[in-house]
Amino acid sequence: MTVLRTVLNDSVIIHPPGFYIIGFQTFPFISVYFIFLAFVYVVTVLFNTLLICIIVFNHCLHTPKFVAVVNLAVIDLILSTCLIPSMIKVFLLKDNFIPFNLCLVQMYIYYAITTMESYALAVLAYDRLVSICFPLHQHSVNTLRGMTWIVTVSWCLGAGFPIFSVSIMTRLSFCNSLRVFSYFCDYAPVFRLACNDYTLQWSVASVSSLVLLVVPFGFILLSYISILVTVFRMKSLDSRKKALATCVEHVILVASFYLPIVIIFTIGLYLRLINPDQRVLSLSLASCLPPCINPIVYSLKTEEIKKRILALAQKSKVRSQQRKSKS
């Protein structure tokens, strides 16, 4: 094996036809879980599409805050569509082979979109920071054009960073197992199958997780420290409550996205104290549930959205009554 690795490192790169995705091996009722995920996907698509339509077709909601909300909803739609149908095909329909190039494409899309989700939450934190800490300069600093540029830059960063990470996977040779123990073509489970040195891939994965997840999360924490300092300087208790109330939905989104990923990656990737099947199940839930939760949270916790939903409901009720009266 040592001789084989040396030869491969020096000259030959072996790419297989593809990989077999084999997560969830020890769960007896895993089909029920994927039926649940199918329901989650339907809810995700419906609510995110509804949220996007409400904001896009109501000009009074064309504000920097709701540009950031639409950005998050679009990212959630792409992330869910990238993951859940593929997972159902692999584990429920037992079609678990994925060609090598398609594996790299799925890997790239997942990490690009996850990065964009991370930055989208940071953009929402920026909106809250400016709104609460600099209320007199809010309309001059946080403009619609400025927010559009920030969202565009976040998409460019999210789409650009994973290119190098995924491209260096083509330097690896796979001459032994082709069984990827995950719920999709995951970066670390794939490069660990290589029979030549994957130190570069490990280093890039570690640095990328810091740059793409820890930096936005750090910005969010600093933003909320500044927000709390500003809030507790307010003399009026009502002003404090109103300022903190505008942050509730964002805090829920941040917690639902970051906490599972930070806990699972810390325990599983570095400490290796988590069962592999539990890691796969937890990560799949952490990837699939936030896109479903996000639009519901904004629909229920944001007054502007609730008013628009109620207005739409009343219009549809009036139309149905008019049809009945005509018939």
Side-chain angles (χ1 to χ4, degrees):
M1 179 60 71
T2 305
V3 174
L4 178 60
R5 287 189 180 214
T6 304
V7 171
L8 287 170
N9 279 330
D10 292 341
S11 57
V12 181
I13 298 294
I14 299 173
H15 290 165
F19 298 97
Y20 294 92
I21 312 298
I22 58 155
F24 306 106
Q25 288 189 320
T26 61
F27 294 108
F29 302 107
I30 198 60
S31 59
V32 176
Y33 174 61
F34 285 101
I35 293 170
F36 165 72
L37 283 189
F39 171 75
V40 167
Y41 180 64
V42 171
V43 171
T44 300
V45 171
L46 288 176
F47 274 86
N48 277 291
T49 304
L50 177 64
L51 186 63
I52 292 167
C53 290
I54 287 172
I55 295 171
V56 168
F57 293 111
N58 286 273
H59 291 285
C60 60
L61 297 181
H62 291 183
T63 62
K65 175 184 176 179
F66 289 106
V67 168
V69 172
V70 166
N71 175 51
L72 183 64
V74 171
I75 291 167
D76 285 338
L77 274 175
I78 298 172
L79 179 60
S80 293
T81 303
C82 169
L83 275 182
I84 297 179
S86 174
M87 289 169 66
I88 291 171
K89 169 180 165 289
V90 167
F91 297 105
L92 202 58
L93 304 181
K94 307 299 182 186
D95 184 8
N96 67 335
F97 178 78
I98 181 166
F100 182 80
N101 289 333
L102 187 58
C103 173
L104 297 184
V105 170
Q106 187 185 53
M107 190 184 296
Y108 168 77
I109 293 173
Y110 174 80
Y111 284 102
I113 296 299
T114 303
T115 301
M116 290 176 192
E117 178 111 356
S118 182
Y119 281 122
L121 293 172
V123 170
L124 283 166
Y126 163 76
D127 175 78
R128 293 296 84 212
L129 176 70
V130 174
S131 176
I132 294 171
C133 298
F134 309 100
L136 299 177
H137 303 285
Q138 179 183 356
H139 297 295
S140 59
V141 174
N142 192 19
T143 62
L144 191 61
R145 184 177 180 182
M147 180 59 77
T148 305
W149 273 107
I150 290 171
V151 168
T152 303
V153 169
S154 71
W155 273 68
C156 292
L157 290 173
F161 273 119
I163 291 175
F164 177 72
S165 304
V166 174
S167 64
I168 60 174
M169 293 293 283
T170 59
R171 300 183 184 182
L172 297 177
S173 289
F174 300 90
C175 48
N176 295 317
S177 175
L178 301 176
R179 292 154 61 88
V180 179
F181 197 86
S182 186
Y183 58 100
F184 75 109
C185 245
D186 202 354
Y187 195 75
V190 171
F191 73 61
R192 286 193 180 117
L193 298 176
C195 48
N196 56 344
D197 182 40
Y198 53 74
T199 305
L200 175 62
Q201 286 74 17
W202 169 261
S203 301
V204 168
S206 299
V207 172
S208 296
S209 63
L210 287 172
V211 173
L212 305 179
L213 289 174
V214 177
V215 170
F217 185 58
F219 174 79
I220 292 169
L221 285 179
L222 289 174
S223 298
Y224 273 100
I225 290 170
S226 301
I227 287 169
L228 288 173
V229 170
T230 302
V231 167
F232 286 113
R233 283 178 178 172
M234 295 176 180
K235 294 179 181 179
S236 169
L237 185 62
D238 287 338
S239 299
R240 291 181 186 180
K241 287 180 179 178
K242 286 178 182 177
L244 291 175
T246 62
C247 300
V248 171
E249 65 266 22
H250 183 249
V251 171
I252 294 170
L253 305 190
V254 170
S256 68
F257 177 75
Y258 282 107
L259 284 181
I261 291 177
V262 170
I263 292 168
I264 295 161
F265 271 100
T266 302
I267 296 173
L269 189 62
Y270 294 104
L271 302 179
R272 296 177 184 260
L273 297 176
I274 191 170
N275 177 278
D277 261 326
Q278 291 175 349
R279 176 185 175 274
V280 172
L281 181 65
S282 302
L283 276 177
S284 65
L285 276 172
S287 299
C288 298
L289 284 183
C292 179
I293 294 169
N294 294 350
I296 296 172
V297 167
Y298 266 101
S299 299
L300 297 176
K301 296 296 294 181
T302 307
E303 278 300 320
E304 297 97 328
I305 299 294
K306 282 197 289 186
K307 286 177 182 177
R308 296 298 157 187
I309 291 174
L310 288 172
L312 285 173
Q314 287 173 352
K315 280 183 181 179
S316 62
K317 187 177 180 180
V318 169
R319 285 174 184 172
S320 64
Q321 287 174 348
Q322 288 175 344
R323 287 172 186 171
K324 285 180 182 178
S325 63
K326 286 179 180 178
S327 59

